[in-house]
Amino acid sequence: MFDFSFIQIVRISGIDVYSIIEEFTSRDISKMKIGSIHYSFRVSRVGQVLSDLTIWKIDETMVDVMTGDSRDAEYLIKLDNHGALKLERLNYYNFCDIKIGGVWTRVGRLG
């Protein structure tokens, strides 16, 4: 068990989700299995680590990005130039229903 109450969560869905994540983290997530989590970094142009984060693959066109840096959400929104993605934050005292391994699950964020 881990307390995620300090984490910013951004849900990204849409056909461009892979390209957005690759630009954001320089990590290819196209081969990630549904239900898996990858650890990654967001780095500056000179390679300095700006934040560490995890990418949770929910389905082929949906991921959750969890980060301790609130600026990451704003940066992700800027990357969505065409409005093709749906970006949403799971804020404190909110919940959402997602399918995990074919089972509908309610996920809540308290803190």
Side-chain angles (χ1 to χ4, degrees):
M1 182 175 286
F2 184 79
D3 177 9
F4 285 99
S5 62
F6 67 96
I7 298 289
Q8 298 287 315
I9 303 170
V10 179
R11 171 156 297 159
I12 306 168
S13 59
I15 58 172
D16 290 335
V17 68
Y18 295 150
S19 61
I20 292 292
I21 293 298
E22 189 171 335
E23 185 175 345
F24 182 64
T25 67
S26 299
R27 180 150 195 182
D28 179 6
I29 64 163
S30 64
K31 293 181 175 62
M32 269 180 82
K33 293 180 181 179
I34 293 171
S36 65
I37 302 167
H38 281 188
Y39 186 70
S40 192
F41 297 106
R42 181 166 69 92
V43 298
S44 70
R45 290 187 179 120
V46 295
Q48 176 186 10
V49 174
L50 301 173
S51 63
D52 65 329
L53 48 102
T54 55
I55 302 163
W56 302 50
K57 189 168 184 179
I58 298 165
D59 65 31
E60 289 303 324
T61 61
M62 184 184 299
V63 299
D64 281 350
V65 175
M66 297 191 186
T67 176
D69 189 339
S70 61
R71 295 171 291 186
D72 287 343
E74 286 77 23
Y75 189 83
L76 280 164
I77 291 167
K78 288 178 187 175
L79 290 178
D80 183 21
N81 297 328
H82 307 298
L85 298 178
K86 180 179 179 188
L87 289 98
E88 55 188 89
R89 288 189 192 194
L90 187 56
N91 293 315
Y92 292 121
Y93 301 104
N94 283 278
F95 69 90
C96 64
D97 293 328
I98 61 171
K99 204 175 230 184
I100 301 175
V103 177
W104 281 102
T105 306
R106 179 158 289 155
V107 176
R109 183 173 188 201
L110 305 174

